Amino acid sequence: MSELQELRKKSLNLSVSDRLLLLKAITDSLNEELRPRPELPPDFLDKFRGIGKTDSPPSNDEEVEAMLEERLVEKYLKS
């Protein structure tokens, strides 16, 4: 009997919850192999944090509300 057949036979004897856990473990491992995530450079977070930095102070609530209203007008009223 092949190893795959033995594993299949053993898996059918597991409880439903254990089979679901096994299924999740298998799909997670396949996902890792089929779509590996690229290695990030060590200074990635430092560079990423710098993206949002500006010399101006943050917008206040009124300015943010005005920007949102302007965006909604552009989105829904201007075609």
Side-chain angles (χ1 to χ4, degrees):
M1 185 180 291
S2 74
E3 186 175 356
L4 178 59
Q5 289 172 331
E6 287 180 42
L7 287 171
R8 185 175 187 280
K9 186 177 180 180
K10 286 180 182 179
S11 69
L12 293 175
N13 291 328
L14 295 172
S15 68
V16 171
S17 61
D18 284 347
R19 282 186 282 166
L20 287 170
L21 289 172
L22 178 60
L23 180 62
K24 183 176 179 348
I26 291 170
T27 54
D28 288 348
S29 71
L30 286 171
N31 191 35
E32 287 290 320
E33 282 187 46
L34 296 176
R35 290 195 283 164
R37 303 188 195 279
E39 286 280 327
L40 297 175
D43 60 345
F44 173 78
L45 286 179
D46 293 331
K47 288 181 179 178
F48 188 72
R49 285 186 188 120
I51 289 174
K53 287 184 180 179
T54 65
D55 292 334
S56 60
S59 303
N60 60 34
D61 290 345
E62 291 82 23
E63 293 170 329
V64 171
E65 192 172 321
M67 286 186 276
L68 290 173
E69 185 176 327
E70 183 180 315
R71 174 65 181 114
L72 290 173
V73 167
E74 287 176 10
K75 185 175 181 179
Y76 293 108
L77 299 179
K78 294 181 182 177
S79 297

